[in-house]
Amino acid sequence: MKLLPFVTRKPFVAVLLLEGVIHSGGRMRTTGLSDSSMAPIIEKAFGKGKPSAVAIKINSPGGSPVQSSLIAARIRRLAESKGIPVYAFVEDLAASGGYWLAAAADEIYVDANSIVGSIGVIHSSFGFHDLLKRSGIERRVHTAGKDKSILDPFLPEDPEHVTRLREIQDQMHNEFISHVRSRRKDHLNGDDLFTGRFWVGRAAVELGLANDVGHLIPKMQEIYGDKVRFKHYGKRRHVFGSIGTGIVQAALDHIEDRFMMSRYGL
């Protein structure tokens, strides 16, 4: 029973933090994003207290295309089923899969110095077959299925395997492009948006990758009034993340994060 049914509730915005590398790792990871780890947090952001909007703070260099797609799809399902608008606010970086997440929003805002874009798919590895040969080491691989050892870094690169990899990458790239086009529609303005290039804030706005330069609190106050309230939702660090094997895992996570961010000069 409501004691004061005539009192108007102040609007509030659920603020969802999406930060770090997007990966398919398990619960041992101390940083980053995956659909399984973010699902309950995203559900709460959309479900608790009937928010006027969900504002997503994004700071991600990307990662797994599958997890990017799953997280973005979850956001869209909840937004559409509950009729809640979604605004994305890019901090340092929304590149590759990070931009996939941003494109799930109805509107995207960036800082003038944010890095945005990198709409593409990448695969990187090393080749060790010459090193093994010089060291007198023989690599022995036995497979059932001629393509089972595709892209083995200890074997010479096979042109057929490279062609197959590029076919897979093209399929993923086309899915990425389709997602961006469907979400940004008439905003897009440029010929090289899908080449893997990335841009800084205002250039991203000019190309239609973002709506405008703007920051979360003032933009939400502009839309919902100065008295709008904010509730924050994000991943919590595990209590034992700094004990035992957690130290090693945290160090590895940090190295991966720094490597991914360094590709964009951050």
Side-chain angles (χ1 to χ4, degrees):
M1 179 179 178
K2 294 183 179 180
L3 299 179
L4 298 173
F6 52 85
V7 175
T8 302
R9 296 182 62 189
K10 294 179 182 178
F12 84 90
V13 172
V15 180
L16 176 63
L17 178 61
L18 299 181
E19 182 175 41
V21 176
I22 304 167
H23 58 81
S24 57
R27 295 180 180 274
M28 282 297 293
R29 288 193 59 113
T30 59
T31 62
L33 305 167
S34 68
D35 183 57
S36 61
S37 66
M38 292 304 302
I41 300 169
I42 295 172
E43 298 280 345
K44 285 181 181 178
F46 279 91
K48 293 193 70 174
K50 297 181 180 179
S52 301
V54 171
I56 308 174
K57 291 173 63 177
I58 297 176
N59 193 12
S60 174
S64 165
V66 174
Q67 296 300 313
S68 302
S69 177
L70 289 173
I71 294 171
R74 183 179 299 278
I75 290 171
R76 288 313 314 155
R77 285 197 304 273
L78 289 167
E80 292 168 9
S81 66
K82 296 178 179 294
I84 297 174
V86 180
Y87 301 88
F89 293 88
V90 179
E91 296 190 335
D92 295 88
L93 183 64
S96 195
Y99 187 74
W100 196 315
L101 301 183
D106 299 299
E107 296 181 10
I108 302 173
Y109 294 91
V110 297
D111 182 82
N113 301 295
S114 298
I115 294 176
V116 180
S118 191
I119 300 171
V121 180
I122 186 172
H123 173 273
S124 59
S125 66
F126 297 92
F128 296 103
H129 63 284
D130 284 337
L131 176 62
L132 294 182
K133 185 177 180 179
R134 289 196 300 269
S135 302
I137 300 172
E138 181 184 4
R139 169 79 165 160
R140 296 174 179 174
V141 179
H142 307 281
T143 67
K146 66 182 183 67
D147 293 326
K148 190 63 179 177
S149 62
I150 186 172
L151 301 175
D152 188 323
F154 296 101
L155 295 175
E157 191 170 64
D158 187 327
E160 291 186 8
H161 292 174
V162 175
T163 298
R164 176 58 179 151
L165 172 63
R166 286 176 176 166
E167 290 174 353
I168 294 171
Q169 289 180 313
D170 286 344
Q171 293 172 40
M172 292 180 177
H173 193 201
N174 288 336
E175 289 294 328
F176 196 170
I177 293 171
S178 177
H179 171 65
V180 173
R181 287 194 185 280
S182 67
R183 296 300 306 153
R184 298 302 296 166
K185 295 181 180 177
D186 297 334
H187 292 291
L188 299 178
N189 176 34
D191 297 326
D192 55 356
L193 297 177
F194 307 120
T195 64
R197 287 186 61 184
F198 49 90
W199 296 267
V200 178
R202 296 188 190 280
V205 173
E206 293 175 2
L207 292 168
L209 294 173
N211 291 77
D212 204 352
V213 172
H215 298 158
L216 194 153
I217 291 178
K219 176 56 67 174
M220 292 296 91
Q221 288 177 335
E222 175 186 326
I223 297 172
Y224 296 103
D226 292 340
K227 295 184 179 180
V228 64
R229 297 174 296 123
F230 298 94
K231 292 185 179 181
H232 293 78
Y233 299 88
K235 287 182 67 174
R236 293 182 179 179
R237 291 185 178 274
H238 295 292
V239 175
F240 300 104
S242 60
I243 299 176
T245 58
I247 296 175
V248 177
Q249 185 62 54
L252 292 174
D253 292 346
H254 179 72
I255 291 170
E256 181 183 10
D257 289 351
R258 293 311 309 156
F259 172 76
M260 292 285 284
M261 298 289 276
S262 68
R263 292 182 53 222
Y264 301 97
L266 300 175

